Amino acid sequence: MSSRHIARSIVLQSLYEWDFNKKKNLEIDLIIKKNMEEFGKGAEDEKDFIKSLSEGVLKHREKIDKIIEKSAPEWPLEQITIIDRNVLRIGIFELLFGDEKEVPPKVAINEAIELAKSYGGESSGRFINGVLGTIYRELEKTKDSGVKKD
C-alpha cells in the first residue's frame, strides 16, 4: 500500500471521527495526531500531505457539501453515510481544490473509490464513482469552455 493511500486513510478516519462527534475544525489536529500514532506506519513522510488534505477539506467543507448535494440530489447530505460523505469530501477537495500536477483527477477519483471499497458499505464504491464521475465530467466541460476551476 502506498504511503499516500495510507495518508488518505488516516485523513478519512480522522474526518469520520470529527464528523461523528460533531467536533470543531481546530480539533482535527488532535484527532490526526492520535490516528497517526495508531495507524500511521508507512505514512510518516506524508505528514504535510495529511495536514493539507484534512485542513483543505475542512476549509472548503461548505462549498464541497453544496457540490455533493447538487451532484447527488436524491441523497440529502445527512442521509449519506459518514464514511461515504467524507470520502466524497476528500475526493472533491482533491478534484477541485488540489494540485492537479500532484494528484491528477483520475488518481483522486480512483483513490476515493478504493477508500470507499475499503471502509464503506457494499455499494459505496459505485456511489462514490458515480458522484465523482459526474463532478469530473462537469469539470472537464468547464475546462473545455475556458472557465477556470475554484
Side-chain angles (χ1 to χ4, degrees):
M1 192 177 313
S2 79
S3 61
R4 279 286 168 100
H5 185 76
I6 295 168
R8 286 184 183 91
S9 295
I10 290 167
V11 171
L12 176 61
Q13 291 165 353
S14 301
L15 289 173
Y16 178 93
E17 183 177 337
W18 170 87
D19 197 358
F20 183 82
N21 292 312
K22 308 288 186 221
K23 298 286 186 180
K24 293 181 174 68
N25 288 5
L26 298 175
E27 296 173 0
I28 195 71
D29 291 336
L30 297 174
I31 297 169
I32 288 172
K33 183 177 186 227
K34 176 183 62 88
N35 286 333
M36 275 296 292
E37 290 169 2
E38 191 170 344
F39 307 110
K41 188 171 170 82
E44 297 88 355
D45 294 340
E46 298 295 346
K47 288 179 183 176
D48 290 341
F49 177 73
I50 290 168
K51 184 175 177 62
S52 69
L53 184 57
S54 61
E55 288 178 355
V57 167
L58 293 178
K59 177 182 176 188
H60 296 286
R61 185 178 56 83
E62 288 182 24
K63 289 179 191 173
I64 291 169
D65 286 353
K66 286 179 183 171
I67 292 166
I68 294 170
E69 290 169 343
K70 182 181 175 192
S71 302
E74 63 282 354
W75 287 97
L77 193 63
E78 293 304 315
Q79 288 184 6
I80 298 172
T81 67
I82 296 174
I83 286 290
D84 290 354
R85 183 168 56 232
N86 285 292
V87 168
L88 284 171
R89 286 173 175 157
I90 292 168
I92 292 168
F93 173 77
E94 288 196 291
L95 273 176
L96 300 182
F97 303 101
D99 181 353
E100 194 174 313
K101 292 177 181 136
E102 186 178 348
V103 180
K106 291 184 180 182
V107 171
I109 293 169
N110 191 51
E111 281 291 321
I113 293 167
E114 290 305 313
L115 286 172
K117 287 179 180 178
S118 296
Y119 295 98
E122 189 176 311
S123 61
S124 293
R126 289 188 305 276
F127 176 66
I128 300 300
N129 187 30
V131 174
L132 292 181
T134 298
I135 293 166
Y136 177 70
R137 285 187 294 280
E138 288 298 315
L139 182 62
E140 288 300 299
K141 283 182 194 176
T142 59
K143 281 184 183 176
D144 291 343
S145 68
V147 178
K148 290 180 72 175
K149 73 176 186 175
D150 275 338

